[in-house]
mmCIF file of all heavy atoms in Angstrom:
data_model
loop_
_atom_site.group_PDB
_atom_site.id
_atom_site.type_symbol
_atom_site.label_atom_id
_atom_site.label_comp_id
_atom_site.label_asym_id
_atom_site.label_seq_id
_atom_site.Cartn_x
_atom_site.Cartn_y
_atom_site.Cartn_z
ATOM 1 N N ILE A 9 -5.775 9.925 3.486
ATOM 2 C CA ILE A 9 -4.814 9.030 4.250
ATOM 3 C C ILE A 9 -3.507 8.793 3.254
ATOM 4 O O ILE A 9 -3.824 8.126 2.114
ATOM 5 C CB ILE A 9 -5.440 7.615 4.546
ATOM 6 C CG1 ILE A 9 -6.558 7.997 5.636
ATOM 7 C CG2 ILE A 9 -4.418 6.711 5.168
ATOM 8 C CD1 ILE A 9 -7.350 6.740 6.013
ATOM 9 N N VAL A 10 -2.489 9.277 3.598
ATOM 10 C CA VAL A 10 -1.240 9.240 2.768
ATOM 11 C C VAL A 10 -0.401 8.239 3.429
ATOM 12 O O VAL A 10 0.043 8.446 4.574
ATOM 13 C CB VAL A 10 -0.557 10.745 2.713
ATOM 14 C CG1 VAL A 10 0.552 10.530 1.795
ATOM 15 C CG2 VAL A 10 -1.555 11.667 2.259
ATOM 16 N N THR A 11 0.150 7.246 2.705
ATOM 17 C CA THR A 11 0.986 6.097 3.194
ATOM 18 C C THR A 11 2.357 6.185 2.499
ATOM 19 O O THR A 11 2.292 6.061 1.243
ATOM 20 C CB THR A 11 0.281 4.813 3.205
ATOM 21 O OG1 THR A 11 -0.834 4.854 4.024
ATOM 22 C CG2 THR A 11 1.250 3.757 3.801
ATOM 23 N N VAL A 12 3.395 6.340 3.149
ATOM 24 C CA VAL A 12 4.814 6.388 2.467
ATOM 25 C C VAL A 12 5.144 4.848 2.379
ATOM 26 O O VAL A 12 5.494 4.223 3.327
ATOM 27 C CB VAL A 12 5.781 7.140 3.308
ATOM 28 C CG1 VAL A 12 7.135 7.013 2.625
ATOM 29 C CG2 VAL A 12 5.388 8.658 3.392
ATOM 30 N N SER A 13 4.965 4.309 1.157
ATOM 31 C CA SER A 13 5.404 3.031 0.961
ATOM 32 C C SER A 13 6.759 3.035 0.478
ATOM 33 O O SER A 13 7.635 3.597 1.019
ATOM 34 C CB SER A 13 4.331 2.418 -0.190
ATOM 35 O OG SER A 13 4.824 0.962 -0.474
ATOM 36 N N SER A 14 7.005 2.483 -0.792
ATOM 37 C CA SER A 14 8.419 2.531 -1.332
ATOM 38 C C SER A 14 8.323 1.926 -2.681
ATOM 39 O O SER A 14 7.276 1.124 -3.064
ATOM 40 C CB SER A 14 9.282 1.712 -0.565
ATOM 41 O OG SER A 14 10.525 1.378 -1.150
ATOM 42 N N VAL A 15 9.345 2.230 -3.536
ATOM 43 C CA VAL A 15 9.321 1.431 -4.782
ATOM 44 C C VAL A 15 9.553 -0.005 -4.603
ATOM 45 O O VAL A 15 9.295 -0.941 -5.402
ATOM 46 C CB VAL A 15 10.516 1.955 -5.786
ATOM 47 C CG1 VAL A 15 10.206 3.479 -6.130
ATOM 48 C CG2 VAL A 15 11.816 1.911 -5.112
ATOM 49 N N MET A 16 10.109 -0.320 -3.335
ATOM 50 C CA MET A 16 10.137 -1.756 -2.950
ATOM 51 C C MET A 16 8.833 -2.377 -2.680
ATOM 52 O O MET A 16 8.779 -3.603 -2.568
ATOM 53 C CB MET A 16 11.000 -1.899 -1.737
ATOM 54 C CG MET A 16 12.466 -1.388 -1.855
ATOM 55 S SD MET A 16 13.439 -2.547 -2.920
ATOM 56 C CE MET A 16 13.276 -1.542 -4.559
ATOM 57 N N GLY A 17 7.752 -1.608 -2.737
ATOM 58 C CA GLY A 17 6.410 -2.114 -2.604
ATOM 59 C C GLY A 17 5.831 -2.579 -3.979
ATOM 60 O O GLY A 17 4.852 -3.215 -3.921
ATOM 61 N N ILE A 18 6.592 -2.278 -5.067
ATOM 62 C CA ILE A 18 6.258 -2.644 -6.358
ATOM 63 C C ILE A 18 7.103 -3.567 -7.069
ATOM 64 O O ILE A 18 7.000 -3.973 -8.276
ATOM 65 C CB ILE A 18 5.726 -1.466 -7.216
ATOM 66 C CG1 ILE A 18 6.950 -0.501 -7.327
ATOM 67 C CG2 ILE A 18 4.684 -0.683 -6.525
ATOM 68 C CD1 ILE A 18 6.727 0.596 -8.270
ATOM 69 N N MET A 19 8.294 -3.728 -6.501
ATOM 70 C CA MET A 19 9.269 -4.679 -7.026
ATOM 71 C C MET A 19 10.001 -5.400 -5.835
ATOM 72 O O MET A 19 9.552 -5.329 -4.729
ATOM 73 C CB MET A 19 10.337 -3.959 -7.835
ATOM 74 C CG MET A 19 11.160 -2.971 -6.955
ATOM 75 S SD MET A 19 12.475 -2.138 -7.765
ATOM 76 C CE MET A 19 11.491 -1.025 -9.022
ATOM 77 N N GLY A 20 10.954 -6.320 -6.192
ATOM 78 C CA GLY A 20 11.729 -6.919 -5.183
ATOM 79 C C GLY A 20 13.192 -6.616 -5.321
ATOM 80 O O GLY A 20 13.651 -6.132 -6.382
ATOM 81 N N ALA A 21 13.972 -6.837 -4.213
ATOM 82 C CA ALA A 21 15.346 -6.343 -4.273
ATOM 83 C C ALA A 21 16.017 -7.336 -3.253
ATOM 84 O O ALA A 21 15.552 -7.644 -2.104
ATOM 85 C CB ALA A 21 15.537 -4.978 -3.951
ATOM 86 N N PRO A 22 17.358 -7.564 -3.424
ATOM 87 C CA PRO A 22 18.140 -8.451 -2.521
ATOM 88 C C PRO A 22 18.406 -7.710 -1.275
ATOM 89 O O PRO A 22 18.439 -6.449 -1.279
ATOM 90 C CB PRO A 22 19.325 -8.760 -3.249
ATOM 91 C CG PRO A 22 19.457 -7.666 -4.436
ATOM 92 C CD PRO A 22 18.145 -7.393 -4.594
ATOM 93 N N LEU A 23 18.566 -8.429 -0.102
ATOM 94 C CA LEU A 23 19.038 -7.781 1.186
ATOM 95 C C LEU A 23 17.922 -7.086 1.806
ATOM 96 O O LEU A 23 18.038 -6.501 2.864
ATOM 97 C CB LEU A 23 20.183 -6.808 0.944
ATOM 98 C CG LEU A 23 21.467 -7.493 0.400
ATOM 99 C CD1 LEU A 23 22.541 -6.369 0.126
ATOM 100 C CD2 LEU A 23 22.025 -8.589 1.293
ATOM 101 N N ALA A 24 16.679 -7.126 1.251
ATOM 102 C CA ALA A 24 15.523 -6.305 1.805
ATOM 103 C C ALA A 24 14.288 -7.184 1.653
ATOM 104 O O ALA A 24 13.205 -6.482 1.592
ATOM 105 C CB ALA A 24 15.410 -4.977 1.156
ATOM 106 N N SER A 25 14.328 -8.478 1.775
ATOM 107 C CA SER A 25 13.137 -9.292 1.548
ATOM 108 C C SER A 25 11.988 -8.982 2.571
ATOM 109 O O SER A 25 10.772 -8.922 2.235
ATOM 110 C CB SER A 25 13.522 -10.738 1.636
ATOM 111 O OG SER A 25 14.136 -10.995 2.885
ATOM 112 N N GLY A 26 12.376 -8.722 3.913
ATOM 113 C CA GLY A 26 11.337 -8.404 4.858
ATOM 114 C C GLY A 26 10.761 -7.006 4.719
ATOM 115 O O GLY A 26 9.578 -6.854 4.723
ATOM 116 N N TYR A 27 11.570 -6.086 4.301
ATOM 117 C CA TYR A 27 11.161 -4.702 4.009
ATOM 118 C C TYR A 27 10.145 -4.731 2.752
ATOM 119 O O TYR A 27 9.126 -4.040 2.893
ATOM 120 C CB TYR A 27 12.282 -3.732 3.758
ATOM 121 C CG TYR A 27 12.072 -2.337 3.542
ATOM 122 C CD1 TYR A 27 11.647 -1.501 4.487
ATOM 123 C CD2 TYR A 27 12.195 -1.775 2.212
ATOM 124 C CE1 TYR A 27 11.214 -0.137 4.220
ATOM 125 C CE2 TYR A 27 11.997 -0.503 1.922
ATOM 126 C CZ TYR A 27 11.435 0.315 2.930
ATOM 127 O OH TYR A 27 11.158 1.618 2.637
ATOM 128 N N CYS A 28 10.734 -5.310 1.741
ATOM 129 C CA CYS A 28 9.807 -5.478 0.478
ATOM 130 C C CYS A 28 8.449 -5.996 0.832
ATOM 131 O O CYS A 28 7.484 -5.592 0.480
ATOM 132 C CB CYS A 28 10.480 -6.330 -0.566
ATOM 133 S SG CYS A 28 11.965 -5.471 -1.228
ATOM 134 N N ALA A 29 8.547 -7.079 1.640
ATOM 135 C CA ALA A 29 7.268 -7.823 2.098
ATOM 136 C C ALA A 29 6.340 -6.881 2.835
ATOM 137 O O ALA A 29 5.097 -6.834 2.581
ATOM 138 C CB ALA A 29 7.655 -9.052 2.959
ATOM 139 N N SER A 30 6.874 -6.076 3.741
ATOM 140 C CA SER A 30 5.925 -5.120 4.478
ATOM 141 C C SER A 30 5.348 -4.069 3.622
ATOM 142 O O SER A 30 4.216 -3.698 3.744
ATOM 143 C CB SER A 30 6.870 -4.505 5.663
ATOM 144 O OG SER A 30 7.852 -3.640 5.139
ATOM 145 N N LYS A 31 6.170 -3.503 2.675
ATOM 146 C CA LYS A 31 5.726 -2.610 1.701
ATOM 147 C C LYS A 31 4.672 -3.069 0.717
ATOM 148 O O LYS A 31 3.749 -2.556 0.237
ATOM 149 C CB LYS A 31 6.968 -1.858 0.947
ATOM 150 C CG LYS A 31 7.718 -1.091 1.895
ATOM 151 C CD LYS A 31 6.996 0.078 2.662
ATOM 152 C CE LYS A 31 8.029 0.753 3.531
ATOM 153 N NZ LYS A 31 7.298 1.897 4.301
ATOM 154 N N HIS A 32 4.905 -4.407 0.253
ATOM 155 C CA HIS A 32 4.011 -5.043 -0.550
ATOM 156 C C HIS A 32 2.654 -5.159 0.227
ATOM 157 O O HIS A 32 1.549 -5.140 -0.330
ATOM 158 C CB HIS A 32 4.484 -6.466 -0.994
ATOM 159 C CG HIS A 32 5.313 -6.367 -2.215
ATOM 160 N ND1 HIS A 32 6.554 -5.832 -2.340
ATOM 161 C CD2 HIS A 32 5.059 -6.857 -3.610
ATOM 162 C CE1 HIS A 32 7.031 -5.984 -3.512
ATOM 163 N NE2 HIS A 32 6.089 -6.441 -4.384
ATOM 164 N N ALA A 33 2.766 -5.458 1.514
ATOM 165 C CA ALA A 33 1.514 -5.616 2.308
ATOM 166 C C ALA A 33 0.722 -4.362 2.400
ATOM 167 O O ALA A 33 -0.500 -4.343 2.330
ATOM 168 C CB ALA A 33 1.996 -6.195 3.666
ATOM 169 N N LEU A 34 1.529 -3.243 2.524
ATOM 170 C CA LEU A 34 0.775 -1.903 2.665
ATOM 171 C C LEU A 34 0.216 -1.565 1.364
ATOM 172 O O LEU A 34 -0.913 -1.202 1.274
ATOM 173 C CB LEU A 34 1.905 -0.829 2.942
ATOM 174 C CG LEU A 34 2.370 -0.902 4.446
ATOM 175 C CD1 LEU A 34 3.566 0.182 4.501
ATOM 176 C CD2 LEU A 34 1.358 -0.587 5.442
ATOM 177 N N GLN A 35 0.903 -1.861 0.208
ATOM 178 C CA GLN A 35 0.325 -1.639 -1.058
ATOM 179 C C GLN A 35 -1.063 -2.378 -1.302
ATOM 180 O O GLN A 35 -2.088 -1.887 -1.715
ATOM 181 C CB GLN A 35 1.196 -1.949 -2.203
ATOM 182 C CG GLN A 35 2.547 -1.041 -2.314
ATOM 183 C CD GLN A 35 2.235 0.179 -2.954
ATOM 184 O OE1 GLN A 35 2.213 1.249 -2.275
ATOM 185 N NE2 GLN A 35 2.007 0.287 -4.321
ATOM 186 N N GLY A 36 -0.977 -3.597 -0.852
ATOM 187 C CA GLY A 36 -2.154 -4.575 -1.141
ATOM 188 C C GLY A 36 -3.294 -3.989 -0.129
ATOM 189 O O GLY A 36 -4.467 -4.128 -0.557
ATOM 190 N N PHE A 37 -2.903 -3.604 1.053
ATOM 191 C CA PHE A 37 -3.927 -3.201 2.038
ATOM 192 C C PHE A 37 -4.706 -2.055 1.503
ATOM 193 O O PHE A 37 -5.962 -1.886 1.612
ATOM 194 C CB PHE A 37 -3.359 -3.125 3.405
ATOM 195 C CG PHE A 37 -4.272 -2.463 4.461
ATOM 196 C CD1 PHE A 37 -5.234 -3.261 5.061
ATOM 197 C CD2 PHE A 37 -4.248 -1.216 4.726
ATOM 198 C CE1 PHE A 37 -6.139 -2.764 5.938
ATOM 199 C CE2 PHE A 37 -5.147 -0.534 5.690
ATOM 200 C CZ PHE A 37 -6.113 -1.355 6.185
ATOM 201 N N PHE A 38 -3.884 -0.948 1.205
ATOM 202 C CA PHE A 38 -4.443 0.343 0.980
ATOM 203 C C PHE A 38 -5.104 0.409 -0.345
ATOM 204 O O PHE A 38 -6.144 0.956 -0.531
ATOM 205 C CB PHE A 38 -3.451 1.430 1.120
ATOM 206 C CG PHE A 38 -3.152 1.764 2.578
ATOM 207 C CD1 PHE A 38 -1.937 1.358 3.145
ATOM 208 C CD2 PHE A 38 -4.094 2.592 3.280
ATOM 209 C CE1 PHE A 38 -1.814 1.787 4.457
ATOM 210 C CE2 PHE A 38 -3.841 2.891 4.545
ATOM 211 C CZ PHE A 38 -2.687 2.484 5.138
ATOM 212 N N ASN A 39 -4.606 -0.443 -1.325
ATOM 213 C CA ASN A 39 -5.430 -0.628 -2.598
ATOM 214 C C ASN A 39 -6.763 -1.321 -2.409
ATOM 215 O O ASN A 39 -7.690 -0.877 -3.038
ATOM 216 C CB ASN A 39 -4.544 -1.311 -3.687
ATOM 217 C CG ASN A 39 -3.374 -0.552 -4.246
ATOM 218 O OD1 ASN A 39 -3.497 0.767 -4.103
ATOM 219 N ND2 ASN A 39 -2.421 -1.186 -4.693
ATOM 220 N N SER A 40 -6.763 -2.221 -1.522
ATOM 221 C CA SER A 40 -8.030 -2.860 -1.122
ATOM 222 C C SER A 40 -9.002 -1.898 -0.263
ATOM 223 O O SER A 40 -10.245 -1.893 -0.560
ATOM 224 C CB SER A 40 -7.832 -4.224 -0.326
ATOM 225 O OG SER A 40 -7.011 -5.044 -1.084
ATOM 226 N N LEU A 41 -8.376 -1.242 0.569
ATOM 227 C CA LEU A 41 -9.152 -0.149 1.373
ATOM 228 C C LEU A 41 -9.906 0.781 0.572
ATOM 229 O O LEU A 41 -11.041 1.120 0.720
ATOM 230 C CB LEU A 41 -8.356 0.405 2.482
ATOM 231 C CG LEU A 41 -9.033 1.475 3.384
ATOM 232 C CD1 LEU A 41 -10.130 0.810 4.072
ATOM 233 C CD2 LEU A 41 -8.027 2.133 4.287
ATOM 234 N N ARG A 42 -9.163 1.203 -0.515
ATOM 235 C CA ARG A 42 -9.748 2.211 -1.396
ATOM 236 C C ARG A 42 -11.038 1.715 -2.030
ATOM 237 O O ARG A 42 -12.036 2.548 -2.182
ATOM 238 C CB ARG A 42 -8.751 2.637 -2.455
ATOM 239 C CG ARG A 42 -9.110 3.817 -3.236
ATOM 240 C CD ARG A 42 -8.092 4.047 -4.476
ATOM 241 N NE ARG A 42 -6.838 4.412 -3.915
ATOM 242 C CZ ARG A 42 -5.721 3.624 -3.956
ATOM 243 N NH1 ARG A 42 -5.805 2.433 -4.633
ATOM 244 N NH2 ARG A 42 -4.521 4.159 -3.602
ATOM 245 N N THR A 43 -10.979 0.443 -2.372
ATOM 246 C CA THR A 43 -12.256 -0.162 -2.976
ATOM 247 C C THR A 43 -13.433 -0.222 -2.019
ATOM 248 O O THR A 43 -14.537 -0.439 -2.460
ATOM 249 C CB THR A 43 -11.996 -1.402 -3.650
ATOM 250 O OG1 THR A 43 -11.723 -2.503 -2.615
ATOM 251 C CG2 THR A 43 -10.806 -1.469 -4.605
ATOM 252 N N GLU A 44 -13.112 -0.195 -0.760
ATOM 253 C CA GLU A 44 -14.048 -0.366 0.288
ATOM 254 C C GLU A 44 -14.676 1.007 0.699
ATOM 255 O O GLU A 44 -15.699 1.149 1.408
ATOM 256 C CB GLU A 44 -13.643 -0.950 1.657
ATOM 257 C CG GLU A 44 -13.192 -2.475 1.362
ATOM 258 C CD GLU A 44 -12.585 -3.057 2.693
ATOM 259 O OE1 GLU A 44 -12.707 -2.446 3.739
ATOM 260 O OE2 GLU A 44 -12.128 -4.216 2.634
ATOM 261 N N LEU A 45 -13.981 2.077 0.102
ATOM 262 C CA LEU A 45 -14.626 3.403 0.513
ATOM 263 C C LEU A 45 -15.198 4.182 -0.695
ATOM 264 O O LEU A 45 -15.265 5.424 -0.764
ATOM 265 C CB LEU A 45 -13.359 4.286 0.970
ATOM 266 C CG LEU A 45 -12.713 3.680 2.315
ATOM 267 C CD1 LEU A 45 -11.445 4.440 2.539
ATOM 268 C CD2 LEU A 45 -13.639 3.808 3.463
ATOM 269 N N THR A 46 -15.765 3.438 -1.560
ATOM 270 C CA THR A 46 -16.376 3.921 -2.660
ATOM 271 C C THR A 46 -17.616 4.991 -2.331
ATOM 272 O O THR A 46 -18.000 5.826 -3.128
ATOM 273 C CB THR A 46 -16.936 2.957 -3.723
ATOM 274 O OG1 THR A 46 -17.724 2.051 -3.185
ATOM 275 C CG2 THR A 46 -15.612 2.252 -4.295
ATOM 276 N N ASP A 47 -18.216 4.518 -1.175
ATOM 277 C CA ASP A 47 -19.275 5.416 -0.736
ATOM 278 C C ASP A 47 -18.917 6.766 -0.098
ATOM 279 O O ASP A 47 -19.661 7.634 0.257
ATOM 280 C CB ASP A 47 -20.265 4.694 0.317
ATOM 281 C CG ASP A 47 -20.996 3.425 -0.355
ATOM 282 O OD1 ASP A 47 -21.304 3.609 -1.548
ATOM 283 O OD2 ASP A 47 -21.408 2.634 0.384
ATOM 284 N N TYR A 48 -17.556 6.910 0.002
ATOM 285 C CA TYR A 48 -17.007 8.109 0.544
ATOM 286 C C TYR A 48 -15.982 8.653 -0.436
ATOM 287 O O TYR A 48 -14.767 8.617 -0.322
ATOM 288 C CB TYR A 48 -16.289 7.732 1.974
ATOM 289 C CG TYR A 48 -17.182 7.168 2.806
ATOM 290 C CD1 TYR A 48 -17.269 5.790 3.019
ATOM 291 C CD2 TYR A 48 -18.051 7.945 3.745
ATOM 292 C CE1 TYR A 48 -18.123 5.187 3.946
ATOM 293 C CE2 TYR A 48 -18.907 7.289 4.668
ATOM 294 C CZ TYR A 48 -18.977 5.833 4.757
ATOM 295 O OH TYR A 48 -19.794 5.440 5.597
ATOM 296 N N PRO A 49 -16.441 9.343 -1.492
ATOM 297 C CA PRO A 49 -15.564 9.880 -2.490
ATOM 298 C C PRO A 49 -14.541 10.893 -2.075
ATOM 299 O O PRO A 49 -13.549 11.230 -2.692
ATOM 300 C CB PRO A 49 -16.563 10.390 -3.514
ATOM 301 C CG PRO A 49 -17.839 10.611 -2.802
ATOM 302 C CD PRO A 49 -17.819 9.629 -1.850
ATOM 303 N N GLU A 50 -14.917 11.533 -0.925
ATOM 304 C CA GLU A 50 -14.030 12.580 -0.438
ATOM 305 C C GLU A 50 -12.971 12.056 0.653
ATOM 306 O O GLU A 50 -12.209 12.952 1.178
ATOM 307 C CB GLU A 50 -14.871 13.766 0.209
ATOM 308 C CG GLU A 50 -15.645 14.519 -0.925
ATOM 309 C CD GLU A 50 -16.219 15.865 -0.278
ATOM 310 O OE1 GLU A 50 -15.392 16.631 0.223
ATOM 311 O OE2 GLU A 50 -17.381 16.001 -0.445
#
């Protein structure tokens, strides 16, 4: 599962607060999901 996030998912920038928020949300979600799939290493 490949998700195109953004460097805006690891930092903040003016004029893109909503976009940054959505990319931060994706980063948090998929980093958490990865920890839920330890029984599926492939």
Side-chain angles (χ1 to χ4, degrees):
I9 296 177
V10 183
T11 301
V12 178
S13 177
S14 169
V15 295
M16 295 294 99
I18 57 177
M19 66 174 71
L23 303 173
S25 54
Y27 179 72
C28 290
S30 69
K31 296 302 185 177
H32 274 71
L34 287 176
Q35 292 284 107
F37 172 81
F38 283 104
N39 285 338
S40 298
L41 177 61
R42 191 185 295 110
T43 67
E44 296 181 8
L45 296 173
T46 53
D47 289 338
Y48 302 94
E50 293 192 50

